[in-house]
Amino acid sequence: MSDEVLLIASDHLSKSGYDVIVDAAPEVRCIGFENDVLFGFLFVFDSAEALLDRWSAISEEVYSRYQFQIRSSRDKAWNAYSILLAEGQSTEQQRRLFSEIEEDLVGTRKIARSVSPDETEIRNALLPVLRLQKAP
């Protein structure tokens, strides 16, 4: 279990102006991120299968630990994200299930992707929460 995906994602979020904290979630690698407009947690799972099996329970556990901070954030609580990244490849069926997760708007907006420890791939997964990028 490598932390490379988590480190790359953390770097992209920091460069986009987010404060980033490492969370000690016992079953998954996790960071929290926040700026003046939104906040969220990014979870890195070992595989697409692990993401699909455990994303709901793990994200609920982390969000319940921070429930008081979330409630005190007032308007920002309406702009919360759960970014769920699975290391490695995913099948077409798993990608369809990722889309179903993303369509579930209960609690937070969700982004679910499988990624390799590649800068561009991880940046692309994070684009919905990153600053606007200018064309190269």
Side-chain angles (χ1 to χ4, degrees), residues 39-87:
F39 77 94
F41 289 91
L42 181 142
F43 304 89
V44 180
F45 295 85
D46 291 334
S47 66
E49 185 177 312
L51 186 158
L52 292 167
D53 288 344
R54 301 187 349 238
W55 76 269
S56 183
I58 289 174
S59 61
E60 279 182 34
E61 190 268 322
V62 169
Y63 279 97
S64 71
R65 275 204 315 263
Y66 291 93
Q67 66 182 313
F68 299 112
Q69 293 91 330
I70 292 168
R71 286 185 188 147
S72 69
S73 68
R74 302 182 200 267
D75 292 339
K76 206 184 301 185
W78 293 102
N79 212 5
Y81 280 82
S82 295
I83 301 177
L84 312 161
L85 301 180
E87 288 192 89

Side-chain angles (χ1 to χ4, degrees), residues 52 92-102:
L52 292 167
E92 187 174 326
Q93 180 182 7
Q94 289 169 327
R95 288 188 295 277
R96 277 195 304 271
L97 293 170
F98 289 172
S99 292
E100 289 178 21
I101 291 170
E102 291 178 346

Side-chain angles (χ1 to χ4, degrees), residues 10-31:
S10 178
D11 186 54
H12 282 297
L13 291 166
S14 293
K15 287 178 179 175
S16 278
Y18 289 96
D19 293 323
V20 177
I21 61 159
V22 176
D23 183 77
E27 295 183 42
V28 68
R29 291 158 288 159
C30 176
I31 56 174

